[in-house]
Amino acid sequence: MQNYKINMCLMTYFLFIIYISPYICGMSLLEDKNPNRTPLSELGEFGLIEHISNNFKLKNKTSTLGIGDDCAVIDVGQHFQLVTTDMLIEGVHFDLTYTPLKHLGYKSVVVNLSDIYAMNGLPKQITVSIALSNRFPLEAIEELYEGVRLACIAYNVDLVGGDTTSSTSGLYLSMTAIGEVAKDKIAYRSGAKEHDLIVVTGDLGSAYLGLQLLNREKQVFEADPQTQPDLENKDYLLQRQLRPEARKDIIQLFQAKDIVPTSMIDVSDGLSSELLHLCRSSSTGCAVYEDKIPIDFMAISTAEEFNISAATCALNGGEDYELLFTINQSHYGLIKDDPGLTIIGHITDKSFDSVLVTKDENRQPLTAQGWNALI
Ligand code: ADP
Ligand code: MG
């Protein structure tokens, strides 16, 4: 038995050396048959996803839409089923020095549900998978799941499964949300048409500024643990960062007003990045007006404190979880008086590119400088 164990260990070691190590450290006992090593930063997150998806063609008739939108779309007969998944990693997506675990549990559900709403659907179930190190006591996990439970109540979804495993360091959270949408009500990223109005819900940039505040106070605290955090009158920005909400109410509004957006996406990576996704998927261009972008007054004053442009926070910040959608101009009357909806521009022909019209009337090409995991 002992020999068997030693042999197994040796075999695992050699398999690692031969097959795995060439890819992660570029060395091998065997000659490297594939000397090309393309840094992932060359592709970026979206380039990598596209690269992966090129090698997978859908085979099943029920797989209506695969990679490329906020959710996968599955034809289950009467309606479409929507599936989306997101992963949150300690040290990358959240910092437990200032993130209460209950808020983290809540946020990780909300982030997923936002993608279901982005298809004009309603979420029904979630699964939650966690990997944790022995640094976490039971009480910490109870706190995390209390946040998950509160989100399940607020959004009327059921926790129906998941997975639990250990990690060598830190906390990993992976959530999957399942939802449904009537076949004639689904909103893809790809349906925008020339002359459609571009509309965004709520306001943008606040979550990013909330993060800047938390990071600033963390640094101050690390330098001098006696200081009290200076976060007075910043509640809204902190709430937007630590405990965001998904726009369930907008889906209800669409239902009530009998509107089906021609295209839709949620704003998770910054307005610029999402506009480019919509235009690319729809094969269009767009013109968006900087002075129309909705930004909360607290975000404007805080951006000034940090000496950064509030518009840049809205365009490139991310984590707003608002909805960005396009509608036919004939629907203008249905939305024009809603203070929670802002028309920020219009869709143009592809030949016009995607541009930001600045306050001084310059036309700048939109660029996605938003969050990029692989730089
Ligand atoms: P979102 O910001 O809406 O969550 P993402 O940018 O994460 O969307 O993903 C865009 C699309 O790419 C989605 O359809 C998603 O399912 C798919 N996707 C992302 N990562 C992978 C991966 N590693 N393998 C397969 N599909 C992926
Ligand atoms: Mg999304």
Side-chain angles (χ1 to χ4, degrees), residues 45-46 48-50 52-53 56 65-72 83-87 111-112 114-115 118 189 265-269 273-274 277 321 371:
E45 182 195 355
F46 302 123
L48 176 62
I49 295 172
E50 202 173 311
I52 294 171
S53 72
F56 290 86
L65 181 73
I67 298 171
D69 214 303
D70 292 290
C71 293
V83 183
T84 177
T85 194
D86 263 297
M87 192 149 66
V111 165
N112 256 257
S114 178
D115 279 321
R189 292 179 181 179
I265 188 168
D266 68 326
V267 184
S268 53
D269 296 338
S273 169
E274 314 304 0
H277 280 313
Y321 302 108
W371 181 85

Coordinates of all heavy atoms in Angstrom, one line a residue, residues 45-46 48-50 52-53 56 65-72 83-87 111-112 114-115 118 189 265-269 273-274 277 321 371, ligand 1:
E45 N -9.9 40.3 -21.7 CA -10.9 39.4 -21.2 C -11.9 39.0 -22.4 O -12.2 37.9 -22.6 CB -11.7 40.1 -20.1 CG -12.8 39.2 -19.6 CD -13.9 40.0 -18.7 OE1 -13.6 41.2 -18.5 OE2 -14.8 39.4 -18.3
F46 N -12.3 40.1 -23.2 CA -13.3 39.8 -24.2 C -12.7 39.1 -25.4 O -13.3 38.2 -26.0 CB -14.0 41.1 -24.6 CG -14.6 41.8 -23.4 CD1 -14.3 43.1 -23.1 CD2 -15.5 41.1 -22.6 CE1 -14.8 43.7 -22.0 CE2 -16.1 41.7 -21.5 CZ -15.8 43.0 -21.2
L48 N -10.3 36.9 -25.1 CA -10.1 35.5 -24.7 C -11.5 34.8 -24.8 O -11.5 33.6 -25.3 CB -9.6 35.5 -23.2 CG -9.5 34.1 -22.6 CD1 -8.5 33.2 -23.4 CD2 -9.1 34.2 -21.2
I49 N -12.6 35.4 -24.4 CA -13.9 34.8 -24.4 C -14.2 34.4 -25.9 O -14.7 33.4 -26.2 CB -15.0 35.7 -23.8 CG1 -14.7 35.8 -22.3 CG2 -16.4 35.1 -24.0 CD1 -15.6 36.8 -21.6
E50 N -13.9 35.4 -26.8 CA -14.2 35.2 -28.2 C -13.4 34.0 -28.7 O -13.9 33.2 -29.5 CB -13.9 36.5 -29.0 CG -14.6 36.6 -30.3 CD -14.4 37.9 -30.9 OE1 -14.6 38.9 -30.2 OE2 -14.0 38.0 -32.1
I52 N -12.2 31.5 -27.1 CA -12.7 30.2 -26.6 C -14.0 29.9 -27.4 O -14.1 28.7 -27.8 CB -13.1 30.4 -25.1 CG1 -11.9 30.6 -24.2 CG2 -13.9 29.1 -24.6 CD1 -12.2 30.9 -22.7
S53 N -14.8 30.8 -27.6 CA -16.1 30.5 -28.2 C -16.0 30.1 -29.7 O -16.8 29.3 -30.2 CB -17.1 31.7 -28.1 OG -16.7 32.7 -28.9
F56 N -16.4 26.3 -30.3 CA -17.6 25.6 -29.8 C -18.8 26.0 -30.6 O -19.2 27.2 -30.6 CB -17.8 25.9 -28.3 CG -16.8 25.3 -27.4 CD1 -15.6 25.9 -27.1 CD2 -17.0 24.0 -26.9 CE1 -14.6 25.4 -26.3 CE2 -16.1 23.4 -26.1 CZ -14.9 24.1 -25.8
L65 N -29.2 30.3 -27.7 CA -28.0 31.3 -27.8 C -27.0 30.8 -26.8 O -27.3 30.6 -25.6 CB -28.5 32.7 -27.4 CG -27.4 33.7 -27.5 CD1 -27.0 34.0 -28.9 CD2 -27.8 35.0 -26.8
G66 N -25.7 30.8 -27.2 CA -24.6 30.4 -26.3 C -23.9 31.6 -25.8 O -24.5 32.6 -25.4
I67 N -22.6 31.5 -25.9 CA -21.7 32.6 -25.4 C -22.0 33.9 -26.2 O -22.2 33.9 -27.4 CB -20.2 32.1 -25.6 CG1 -19.9 30.9 -24.8 CG2 -19.3 33.3 -25.3 CD1 -18.6 30.2 -25.1
G68 N -21.9 35.0 -25.5 CA -22.0 36.3 -26.2 C -23.0 37.3 -25.7 O -22.9 38.4 -26.1
D69 N -23.9 36.9 -24.8 CA -24.9 37.8 -24.3 C -24.8 37.8 -22.8 O -24.0 37.1 -22.2 CB -26.3 37.5 -24.8 CG -27.1 38.7 -25.1 OD1 -27.3 39.5 -24.1 OD2 -27.6 39.0 -26.2
D70 N -25.8 38.5 -22.1 CA -25.7 38.5 -20.7 C -26.1 37.1 -20.1 O -25.7 36.7 -19.0 CB -26.7 39.6 -20.1 CG -26.1 40.9 -20.4 OD1 -25.1 41.3 -19.8 OD2 -26.7 41.6 -21.3
C71 N -26.9 36.4 -20.8 CA -27.3 35.0 -20.4 C -27.3 34.1 -21.6 O -27.4 34.5 -22.8 CB -28.7 35.0 -19.9 SG -29.0 35.9 -18.4
A72 N -27.1 32.8 -21.3 CA -27.4 31.8 -22.3 C -28.9 31.6 -22.4 O -29.6 31.8 -21.4 CB -26.7 30.5 -21.9
V83 N -29.8 31.4 -18.4 CA -28.7 31.0 -17.4 C -27.5 31.9 -17.5 O -27.0 32.2 -18.6 CB -28.3 29.5 -17.8 CG1 -27.3 29.0 -16.7 CG2 -29.5 28.6 -17.9
T84 N -27.1 32.3 -16.3 CA -25.9 33.1 -16.2 C -25.1 32.8 -15.0 O -25.6 32.3 -14.0 CB -26.3 34.6 -16.2 OG1 -25.1 35.4 -16.1 CG2 -27.2 34.9 -15.0
T85 N -23.8 33.0 -15.1 CA -22.9 32.6 -14.0 C -21.8 33.7 -13.8 O -21.4 34.3 -14.8 CB -22.3 31.2 -14.2 OG1 -21.8 30.7 -13.0 CG2 -21.3 31.1 -15.3
D86 N -21.4 33.9 -12.6 CA -20.4 34.9 -12.2 C -19.5 34.4 -11.1 O -20.0 33.7 -10.2 CB -21.1 36.2 -11.8 CG -21.2 37.2 -12.9 OD1 -20.1 37.6 -13.4 OD2 -22.3 37.5 -13.3
M87 N -18.3 34.8 -11.1 CA -17.4 34.4 -10.0 C -16.8 35.6 -9.3 O -16.4 36.6 -10.0 CB -16.3 33.5 -10.6 CG -15.5 32.8 -9.6 SD -14.9 31.2 -10.3 CE -13.8 31.7 -11.5
V111 N -25.5 40.7 -8.5 CA -24.7 40.8 -9.7 C -25.2 39.8 -10.8 O -25.2 40.0 -12.0 CB -23.2 40.4 -9.3 CG1 -22.4 40.1 -10.5 CG2 -22.7 41.6 -8.5
N112 N -25.6 38.6 -10.3 CA -26.1 37.5 -11.2 C -27.5 37.9 -11.7 O -27.8 37.7 -12.9 CB -26.1 36.2 -10.5 CG -25.0 35.3 -10.9 OD1 -25.2 34.4 -11.6 ND2 -23.8 35.6 -10.4
S114 N -28.8 40.6 -12.1 CA -28.8 41.8 -13.1 C -28.7 41.3 -14.5 O -29.3 41.8 -15.4 CB -27.6 42.6 -12.7 OG -27.5 43.7 -13.6
D115 N -28.0 40.2 -14.7 CA -27.8 39.6 -16.1 C -29.1 39.0 -16.6 O -29.4 39.0 -17.8 CB -26.7 38.6 -16.1 CG -25.3 39.2 -16.2 OD1 -25.2 40.2 -17.0 OD2 -24.4 38.8 -15.6
A118 N -31.2 41.9 -17.6 CA -30.7 42.4 -18.8 C -31.2 41.8 -20.1 O -31.1 42.3 -21.2 CB -29.2 42.4 -18.8
R189 N -28.5 41.6 -26.8 CA -27.6 42.7 -27.1 C -27.7 43.1 -28.6 O -27.3 44.2 -28.9 CB -26.2 42.3 -26.7 CG -26.0 42.1 -25.3 CD -24.5 41.7 -25.0 NE -24.2 41.5 -23.6 CZ -23.1 41.1 -23.1 NH1 -22.0 40.9 -23.9 NH2 -22.9 40.9 -21.8
I265 N -28.5 45.5 -22.1 CA -27.3 44.9 -21.5 C -27.3 45.5 -20.1 O -27.9 46.6 -19.9 CB -26.0 45.3 -22.3 CG1 -24.8 44.6 -21.7 CG2 -25.8 46.8 -22.3 CD1 -23.6 44.7 -22.7
D266 N -26.7 44.9 -19.1 CA -26.5 45.6 -17.8 C -25.2 46.2 -17.7 O -24.2 45.8 -18.4 CB -26.8 44.6 -16.6 CG -25.7 43.6 -16.5 OD1 -25.2 43.1 -17.5 OD2 -25.4 43.2 -15.3
V267 N -25.1 47.3 -16.9 CA -23.8 48.1 -16.9 C -23.0 47.5 -15.7 O -23.1 48.0 -14.6 CB -24.1 49.6 -16.7 CG1 -22.8 50.4 -16.8 CG2 -25.1 50.1 -17.8
S268 N -22.1 46.6 -16.1 CA -21.3 46.0 -15.0 C -19.8 46.4 -15.2 O -19.1 46.6 -14.2 CB -21.4 44.5 -15.0 OG -21.1 43.9 -16.2
D269 N -19.4 46.7 -16.4 CA -18.0 47.1 -16.7 C -17.8 48.5 -17.1 O -16.7 48.8 -17.7 CB -17.4 46.1 -17.8 CG -17.4 44.7 -17.4 OD1 -17.4 44.4 -16.1 OD2 -17.4 43.8 -18.2
S273 N -17.8 50.4 -22.3 CA -17.7 49.0 -22.6 C -19.0 48.4 -23.0 O -19.1 47.7 -24.0 CB -17.1 48.3 -21.4 OG -17.1 46.9 -21.6
E274 N -20.1 48.7 -22.3 CA -21.4 48.1 -22.6 C -22.0 48.7 -23.9 O -22.6 47.9 -24.7 CB -22.4 48.4 -21.4 CG -21.8 48.1 -20.0 CD -21.3 46.7 -19.8 OE1 -21.3 45.9 -20.7 OE2 -20.8 46.5 -18.6
H277 N -20.3 46.8 -26.6 CA -20.9 45.5 -26.7 C -22.2 45.5 -27.5 O -22.5 44.7 -28.4 CB -21.2 44.9 -25.4 CG -20.0 44.3 -24.7 ND1 -19.1 43.5 -25.3 CD2 -19.6 44.4 -23.4 CE1 -18.2 43.1 -24.4 NE2 -18.5 43.7 -23.3
Y321 N -24.6 48.2 -12.2 CA -25.7 47.3 -12.3 C -27.0 48.0 -12.7 O -28.1 47.6 -12.3 CB -25.9 46.4 -11.1 CG -24.6 45.6 -10.9 CD1 -23.7 45.9 -9.9 CD2 -24.2 44.7 -11.9 CE1 -22.5 45.3 -9.8 CE2 -23.0 44.0 -11.8 CZ -22.1 44.3 -10.7 OH -20.9 43.7 -10.7
W371 N -13.1 47.8 -16.6 CA -12.4 46.8 -15.9 C -11.9 45.7 -16.8 O -12.7 45.2 -17.7 CB -13.4 46.2 -14.9 CG -12.9 45.1 -14.1 CD1 -12.2 45.3 -12.9 CD2 -13.0 43.7 -14.3 NE1 -11.9 44.0 -12.4 CE2 -12.4 43.1 -13.2 CE3 -13.6 43.0 -15.3 CZ2 -12.3 41.7 -13.2 CZ3 -13.6 41.6 -15.2 CH2 -12.9 41.0 -14.2
Ligands
ADP1 P1 -21.4 39.8 -18.1 O1 -20.5 41.0 -17.9 O2 -22.7 40.2 -18.6 O3 -21.4 38.9 -16.9 P2 -19.3 38.5 -19.4 O4 -18.5 39.6 -20.1 O5 -18.8 38.0 -18.2 O6 -20.8 39.0 -19.3 O7 -19.4 37.3 -20.5 C1 -19.8 37.5 -21.8 C2 -20.2 36.2 -22.4 O8 -19.1 35.3 -22.4 C3 -21.3 35.5 -21.6 O9 -22.2 34.9 -22.6 C4 -20.6 34.5 -20.8 O10 -21.4 33.4 -20.5 C5 -19.5 34.1 -21.7 N1 -18.2 33.6 -21.0 C6 -17.5 34.3 -20.2 N2 -16.4 33.6 -19.8 C7 -16.5 32.4 -20.4 C8 -15.7 31.2 -20.3 N3 -14.6 31.1 -19.6 N4 -16.1 30.2 -21.1 C9 -17.3 30.2 -21.8 N5 -18.0 31.3 -21.9 C10 -17.7 32.4 -21.2

